[in-house]
Amino acid sequence: MANAAVGIDLGTSYSCVSVLERGSPRVLANVYGERTTASVVFFKDDGQIEVGNQAKANIIHHPVHTVSSAKRLIGRYFFSEEVKKARAIYAYDIREAPNHGVRIGIRDEEFSLPEISAMVIREVKQVAEAQLGQPVTQAVITVPAYFNDNQRQATKDAGKIAGVEVLRILNEPTAAALAYGFGRGINQRVAVYDLGGGTFDISILEIGKDVFEVLATCGDTFLGGDDLDDRVLDLLADEFVERHGINPRNDPHAFEKLKAAAEETKKGLSVEEEFCVQINDVMKNEAGEPLPLVRTIDRVEFARLVQDLIQRTFKVCDEALQQSDLTTRDLDGVILVGGPTRLPVIRQAVTDYFQQEPKADVDPDEVVAMGAAIHAASLVGQETAAESILLDVTPLDLRIGVVGGLAEPVIESNTPVPIEQSRRFTTARDDQESVAIRVYQGESRIASENELLGEFEFSGFTKGRRSEVEIDVAFEINVDGIVEVTASDPNTGEQASTSITLSSGLSEGDLDKILRSDRAARVGAVKTAPSASEDKQSLESVQAPPESTHATGKDLAEEDAIDLADIDLEEDILELAESQRDSWAEDENERSGPGLFDASVRDLSAPDDDPEEL
Amino acid sequence: MGDMTTAEIRALSKIIDELDYYKILRLQPSAGSAEIRQAYHANSRHFHPDARRRLDESLEAECTQISKRVTEAYCVLRDPRRRQAYDAKLLRKEGLRIQLAEARAAHQRDSVLVRQGRTAQGRDLYRKATEAMADENWPAALQNLQLALTFESDNTFFKNQLDSLRASHPSEA
């Protein structure tokens, strides 16, 4: 084989790369023999970029120019809770970009999150190339099962920027189950308990000889090993304040030292009964004297600190079991994934909850990359690879925005993919010329409480009286968990198709710009790298958006959300729609959409406003 | 199902809109849950994007289309409530597909109908029975429920109501 297809576990804290060799997955180590690479990027003064374990080791010296845990931010809006939290914790500069996006400011440059992740992908790609002695051009990249469309898209973009063809975006727990069940010829029902650095997933799967069916998946993208560290960090910081009367949280260097100590404590307690933090010089006082911190933490105290976080994971497990109509007694095995699951306090809690010992022959740090490698080989048809068919599900309800600020479910969570569903809607006003179609993911009927995946405008359909003009909207979720929406007029066949315009992260135009720019080489893409022909095509077909000629604020205020046609489905929603419609007649300018996105409506819809584009 | 030829897959994708979910999964209408799952797996081995390496690459669009319909069929048939709504739709000859959300809503609507009574007489008698229950007039409540059941003998909701009334007031019964 001239080019290798690898599996990449792109983790919050650490990343790992693996390849299938002679029918079994091998984890590829770097020149120092390290089998995982810290997902940390350090921007040096001279413009060089250093990625990995060395960058992590130096983080206390360069906290402002070192980006860690980028996965917590990828595909998120600037106003999201997670970004707010990250801005409080990390010393690097997290800025707002147009359309509520997020950028990392490093000196006089700005980087998008997919670019940061691309640097990590490039690093592990190079590790693989050095080990294999051949170029790596294709990869399966894993994501938490609970990642939404925005996060998946952004991760896929990161792969493209790093110059790899992303064969598949694969869910981490599914990858772990594949690695566990691969080639064993077993028939088992298992739970995969995946506590990563920043996310928690639980998946229930049925493993067969060649078919792996996900029965249910649930998760919490706000919960991970980092949160355990934060509890220890808080304890250490409070202790320091008590001892010296100075808050180390206000000093980035001191804070990084305590953060490193907290992580070490957590790791230490995986093997020892107690761990002693001993830092001679956390920071200096006004007189320039070093202020030390010495504190011993044992397993009992640590367990008390994190108990509620661990209990939160079991609430999610309850949900997954309920969704799959099973109890813990129906499970043949429990697989632990993610570094934090090495902690005895977690292993014990998991054993108690599932009433059985977790499988011991699975390496929680490497199993995901191994599964991804197995699947990559299967997808490219590598001869030594047995074919594996992964029947996965979508983790979240897919919804469409309707009048009244509501979001109607179209595809429920835990529906298998690929799937396509379509709904028929009617216009909300007489002679309406266009509709704004907003697509959400989340569990709430209130539109603004869900994640907005994007919106696009559909125009050119038949004009007529309100509620008499029909519009079909088709929703598709593919095997990457990525959403595509198509609107059409059932009478004329007129169609507007788009994979959703990203409201956060990168638009295809942005991505195109990065791939063409000089900085691509620095960021990760080798411009001459043979990328997939389909990728090239889709990128080349995207031109700069034409200047909008008639998208004024007024037009957009007038055109609006669409109305439900399938009346008897959701009568209460329709009632709301009706009353909303009445208030419209009185005040045409009143908008019903979530106020939060009003500003972005203009930005987003402008490029699509030209009917030629649709 | 054996291996399909390129021509067979093309043909299947062309006529997929004319097949009901049982035909898509190659199932008898009486198929049980284990058979439905087996059929889903068997079909996925052929059409799921993971399985394409054995296939002609020009068939990608066809296979994706079939695969999406296989998933949809599985989602409806494996869920007893959705399957019930779908079977009713097939019986009424109202189409071969049902949207997943529609199937759920149809079932909810049916169960509301069952609760209130499907026939005018049944609804009327059930209303009288509930009024009698509110007045604690147990003999009248029993009588009206029994009468309601003569119009809707298969209404399980009425039956359960009657059974619990008999159980709580054995002397009246």
Side-chain angles (χ1 to χ4, degrees):
Chain A
M1 50 179 184
N3 294 325
V6 299
I8 297 174
D9 172 7
L10 183 63
T12 307
S13 312
Y14 290 93
S15 295
C16 183
V17 59
S18 172
V19 72
L20 194 73
E21 275 183 355
R22 286 181 297 277
S24 64
R26 175 160 81 99
V27 169
L28 301 168
N30 66 14
V31 285
Y32 307 107
E34 296 159 337
R35 295 162 73 85
T36 57
T37 298
S39 306
V40 176
V41 180
F42 168 41
F43 294 84
K44 293 181 177 175
D45 288 332
D46 60 5
Q48 294 282 308
I49 295 166
E50 184 177 70
V51 183
N53 300 330
Q54 194 57 40
K56 184 182 167 73
N58 287 328
I59 200 166
I60 51 172
H61 304 301
H62 314 281
V64 179
H65 296 138
T66 306
V67 184
S68 59
S69 300
K71 191 178 178 180
R72 286 196 155 210
L73 303 172
I74 199 164
R76 299 220 190 240
Y77 291 104
F78 185 76
F79 55 74
S80 67
E81 279 307 309
E82 188 65 7
V83 173
K84 276 183 203 152
K85 196 171 149 194
R87 294 184 75 208
I89 295 176
Y90 303 116
Y92 55 87
D93 179 11
I94 302 170
R95 296 181 191 164
E96 180 162 15
N99 289 338
H100 311 289
V102 178
R103 296 287 185 275
I104 307 298
I106 301 287
R107 300 187 188 91
D108 52 359
E109 276 187 292
E110 278 190 356
F111 296 91
S112 66
L113 271 307
E115 287 177 283
I116 304 281
S117 289
M119 296 169 197
V120 178
I121 294 172
R122 182 185 57 172
E123 181 67 23
V124 295
K125 176 180 158 216
Q126 285 171 346
V127 165
E129 284 171 341
Q131 278 283 314
L132 299 170
Q134 62 187 45
V136 168
T137 55
Q138 295 174 307
V140 166
I141 300 179
T142 61
V143 294
Y146 218 58
F147 254 21
N148 65 34
D149 174 77
N150 287 342
Q151 294 165 305
R152 287 167 194 267
Q153 286 273 12
T155 304
K156 204 170 181 180
D157 289 346
K160 283 185 196 168
I161 296 168
V164 295
E165 179 196 350
V166 182
L167 296 167
R168 179 67 49 85
I169 294 292
L170 179 60
N171 293 331
E172 287 160 11
T174 310
L178 174 57
Y180 165 75
F182 175 69
R184 287 197 192 192
I186 49 172
N187 217 317
Q188 288 189 357
R189 239 183 243 139
V190 299
V192 180
Y193 179 99
D194 179 357
L195 186 62
T199 55
F200 174 69
D201 281 330
I202 172 87
S203 288
I204 315 277
L205 289 104
E206 198 160 277
I207 299 178
K209 193 171 115 317
D210 57 342
V211 178
F212 292 65
E213 183 184 355
V214 179
L215 302 177
T217 192
C218 288
D220 186 338
T221 49
F222 293 91
L223 181 61
D226 290 0
D227 298 290
L228 308 181
D229 296 356
D230 288 349
R231 291 290 167 87
V232 180
L233 171 64
D234 269 339
L235 178 95
L236 296 177
D238 289 347
E239 184 93 9
F240 190 85
V241 172
E242 204 173 296
R243 196 79 50 90
H244 303 291
I246 302 176
N247 194 345
R249 294 179 179 89
N250 300 329
D251 178 330
H253 290 274
F255 197 53
E256 287 302 328
K257 279 184 198 171
L258 293 184
K259 212 150 56 175
E263 195 188 333
E264 251 175 74
T265 306
K266 182 186 71 180
K267 284 185 178 163
L269 289 173
S270 295
V271 283
E272 304 286 341
E273 276 300 323
E274 59 175 44
F275 187 85
C276 184
V277 174
Q278 218 166 347
I279 313 173
N280 296 328
D281 180 7
V282 176
M283 60 191 293
K284 299 212 164 35
N285 65 10
E286 282 166 7
E289 295 157 351
L291 302 176
L293 181 69
V294 181
R295 176 69 153 84
T296 302
I297 297 172
D298 64 13
R299 282 185 178 176
V300 176
E301 185 175 19
F302 179 70
R304 208 169 47 232
L305 284 176
V306 301
Q307 204 45 247
D308 63 308
L309 295 174
I310 297 172
Q311 287 312 313
R312 242 169 81 193
T313 66
F314 295 127
K315 281 232 171 63
V316 184
C317 294
D318 285 345
E319 219 181 299
L321 283 167
Q322 203 192 340
Q323 287 268 346
S324 50
D325 252 331
L326 297 172
T327 68
T328 53
R329 270 190 295 277
D330 300 317
L331 299 173
D332 302 307
V334 178
I335 300 167
L336 294 182
V337 180
T341 62
R342 290 185 186 280
L343 286 166
V345 59
I346 288 179
R347 287 196 167 243
Q348 190 53 51
V350 167
T351 306
D352 292 346
Y353 177 86
F354 288 102
Q355 308 268 299
Q356 56 182 298
E357 293 277 344
K359 300 281 176 197
D361 51 351
V362 175
D363 184 311
D365 294 316
E366 300 178 352
V367 67
V368 168
M370 288 161 72
I374 293 165
H375 204 47
S378 165
L379 286 176
V380 297
Q382 204 172 296
E383 271 164 37
T384 53
E387 190 166 79
S388 46
I389 307 216
L390 307 181
L391 305 175
D392 220 313
V393 299
T394 180
L396 297 152
D397 286 353
L398 185 70
R399 291 166 182 269
I400 183 166
V402 293
V403 287
L406 299 175
E408 257 293 271
V410 180
I411 298 173
E412 288 177 6
S413 62
N414 286 312
T415 298
V417 292
I419 186 94
E420 185 183 273
Q421 291 281 283
S422 58
R423 300 289 291 272
R424 181 160 289 183
F425 297 93
T426 60
T427 49
R429 287 178 302 101
D430 290 345
D431 296 323
Q432 192 166 333
E433 285 181 355
S434 64
V435 291
I437 294 165
R438 299 193 186 94
V439 183
Y440 299 89
Q441 259 179 337
E443 311 306 311
S444 176
R445 291 182 63 204
I446 312 297
S448 60
E449 289 175 3
N450 297 295
E451 183 87 355
L452 177 72
L453 299 186
E455 60 187 323
F456 68 102
E457 266 190 74
F458 178 43
S459 55
F461 46 81
T462 327
K463 269 201 254 177
R465 290 181 58 77
R466 74 179 183 207
S467 77
E468 282 176 6
V469 179
E470 292 174 334
I471 294 158
D472 285 341
V473 185
F475 302 80
E476 182 181 338
I477 306 180
N478 68 16
V479 282
D480 288 335
I482 288 175
V483 178
E484 215 164 295
V485 180
T486 312
S488 62
D489 180 340
N491 298 311
T492 64
E494 188 81 34
Q495 214 177 59
S497 172
T498 177
S499 57
I500 292 180
T501 314
L502 267 188
S503 301
S504 68
L506 299 173
S507 68
E508 286 211 50
D510 288 342
L511 184 60
D512 196 32
K513 248 183 260 167
I514 292 170
L515 287 173
R516 287 162 191 273
S517 74
D518 292 340
R519 126 168 159 190
R522 276 181 62 213
V523 171
V526 181
K527 280 169 105 182
T528 52
S531 72
S533 57
E534 66 163 334
D535 284 354
K536 253 189 203 154
Q537 251 173 14
S538 74
L539 288 170
E540 275 164 12
S541 65
V542 176
Q543 299 299 324
E547 281 301 313
S548 149
T549 49
H550 60 279
T552 66
K554 186 165 177 294
D555 283 348
L556 287 160
E558 275 177 12
E559 63 83 3
D560 228 301
I562 46 190
D563 203 354
L564 277 172
D566 27 7
I567 287 176
D568 21 64
L569 287 189
E570 294 278 351
E571 284 179 354
D572 44 353
I573 287 191
L574 189 81
E575 271 172 31
L576 276 165
E578 291 284 349
S579 62
Q580 191 67 37
R581 217 189 274 160
D582 292 341
S583 71
W584 244 314
E586 288 157 25
D587 183 3
E588 279 275 335
N589 292 324
E590 195 83 66
R591 287 186 54 91
S592 68
L596 202 51
F597 296 116
D598 279 1
S600 68
V601 169
R602 221 155 294 151
D603 297 342
L604 282 170
S605 46
D608 291 339
D609 217 60
D610 185 349
E612 298 294 323
E613 277 291 296
L614 304 171
Chain B
M1 57 195 287
D3 273 347
M4 292 176 80
T5 64
T6 301
E8 282 170 330
I9 290 170
R10 285 225 167 84
L12 177 61
S13 88
K14 280 212 183 74
I15 59 158
I16 196 103
D17 283 335
E18 295 155 38
L19 301 178
D20 67 40
Y21 294 153
Y22 294 98
K23 292 212 179 78
I24 288 172
L25 292 181
R26 301 174 183 221
L27 283 168
Q28 295 297 317
S30 58
S33 59
E35 287 168 85
I36 292 169
R37 166 163 281 150
Q38 273 167 18
Y40 171 52
H41 290 187
N43 276 280
S44 297
R45 283 191 187 94
H46 279 268
F47 306 116
H48 191 275
D50 287 355
R52 292 224 194 107
R53 64 184 247 214
R54 279 182 296 148
L55 294 166
D56 185 345
E57 270 186 29
S58 69
L59 288 173
E60 206 169 297
E62 282 86 353
C63 285
T64 303
Q65 190 205 4
I66 297 169
S67 182
K68 287 188 290 193
R69 206 58 72 83
V70 163
T71 313
E72 183 181 311
Y74 175 59
C75 284
V76 170
L77 298 188
R78 73 167 173 180
D79 177 340
R81 293 172 301 165
R82 282 188 176 138
R83 186 176 177 181
Q84 205 185 341
Y86 179 67
D87 288 347
K89 190 172 180 175
L90 280 186
L91 214 59
R92 295 192 303 264
K93 300 201 187 311
E94 287 175 359
L96 301 172
R97 289 181 74 183
I98 192 165
Q99 295 299 317
L100 298 172
E102 186 189 345
R104 183 143 293 179
H107 177 81
Q108 278 163 2
R109 195 171 51 229
D110 283 352
S111 60
V112 170
L113 271 181
V114 168
R115 276 165 177 276
Q116 293 165 344
R118 280 191 309 272
T119 62
Q121 295 94 331
R123 270 198 297 278
D124 191 43
L125 288 161
Y126 179 66
R127 188 180 47 77
K128 283 182 180 152
T130 49
E131 282 167 8
M133 279 188 261
D135 295 340
E136 299 190 9
N137 183 350
W138 309 117
L142 278 168
Q143 196 187 9
N144 280 305
L145 266 178
Q146 273 162 346
L147 277 171
L149 268 166
T150 61
F151 289 99
E152 296 178 28
S153 57
D154 59 340
N155 191 320
T156 49
F157 180 72
F158 287 0
K159 257 185 219 155
N160 291 340
Q161 289 272 300
L162 184 64
D163 288 345
S164 62
L165 201 59
R166 279 180 175 148
S168 53
H169 303 280
S171 57
E172 313 293 342

